[in-house]
Amino acid sequence: MKKLFMLLIIGLLYYQEYHFVNLNQYRSDHIQIEIKGEVQNPGVIQLDRNANVEEALKQVKPTAEADLTSINLAQKLENGSVLVIAKKQNRVCISINSAGVDALDGLPGIGPAIAKRILEYRKVKSFSALEQLMEVKGIGDKLFQKLKAFICL
């Protein structure tokens, strides 16, 4: 017990005061990200720490074929991240005002029964907005979200 007490006394005599260090002072004000795909200047770029996707794209200049429709331009970027810019896909647009049963049946989630309902709806009135498709029995918001990339008026 005396040895333990002596060690405690010695430890207190040699006690050094510890200081908390703010590591933020050593953090860089910049980040590096890699951008590839449909951009004119692919590679690793340096940005401000709080930069977003839009600021990064200004540096690398997207090509005319770049598909920016599914990219969140306001998204904040993190150091070491990779951003891939996809190429636009050439999709065939099916007109809900003029397509026949076979063309409508080829749309995702649409079978022959719903295709016929679309034609019946058109006999009464033509579609003036894509969202009107949800007025057809069997087409709710969830199915409409799948379809809207493939349809036009």
Side-chain angles (χ1 to χ4, degrees):
M1 181 76 162
K2 287 184 181 180
K3 287 184 181 180
L4 181 61
F5 182 72
M6 288 299 287
L7 285 174
L8 182 61
I9 296 295
I10 292 171
L12 289 174
L13 293 175
Y14 289 103
Y15 172 77
Q16 294 184 9
E17 187 176 319
Y18 291 98
H19 299 280
F20 290 101
V21 176
N22 182 358
L23 295 178
N24 285 334
Q25 67 184 339
Y26 301 109
R27 187 171 79 172
S28 173
D29 291 335
H30 296 92
I31 60 170
Q32 288 187 332
I33 66 160
E34 181 182 3
I35 301 185
K36 47 181 136 182
E38 288 298 315
V39 293
Q40 294 176 19
N41 304 309
V44 177
I45 62 170
Q46 186 170 324
L47 298 162
D48 289 335
R49 174 154 295 286
N50 295 317
N52 61 20
V53 172
E54 183 178 32
E55 293 168 38
L57 290 176
K58 287 178 185 175
Q59 279 194 32
V60 297
K61 299 178 179 74
T63 66
E65 290 297 312
D67 183 6
L68 303 178
T69 59
S70 62
I71 295 177
N72 179 358
L73 297 176
Q75 180 179 356
K76 186 178 172 186
L77 296 166
E78 293 184 26
N79 191 39
S81 59
V82 177
L83 184 60
V84 180
I85 307 301
K87 188 175 185 173
K88 289 179 184 174
Q89 301 293 320
N90 294 328
R91 291 184 181 152
V92 176
C93 179
I94 304 294
S95 170
I96 58 175
N97 276 323
S98 61
V101 173
D102 291 338
L104 293 169
D105 185 20
L107 290 168
I110 302 292
I114 295 178
K116 287 177 186 172
R117 285 188 218 136
I118 293 170
L119 292 180
E120 292 298 319
Y121 182 94
R122 275 196 331 228
K123 287 179 184 175
V124 177
K125 64 178 178 178
S126 64
F127 293 98
S128 58
L130 293 178
E131 291 76 15
Q132 278 182 283
L133 193 58
M134 290 187 286
E135 294 175 14
V136 175
K137 184 181 175 188
I139 301 177
D141 185 55
K142 199 172 189 178
L143 179 55
F144 177 73
Q145 295 304 320
K146 281 186 195 176
L147 293 171
K148 71 180 182 178
F150 302 100
I151 59 174
C152 57
L153 294 176

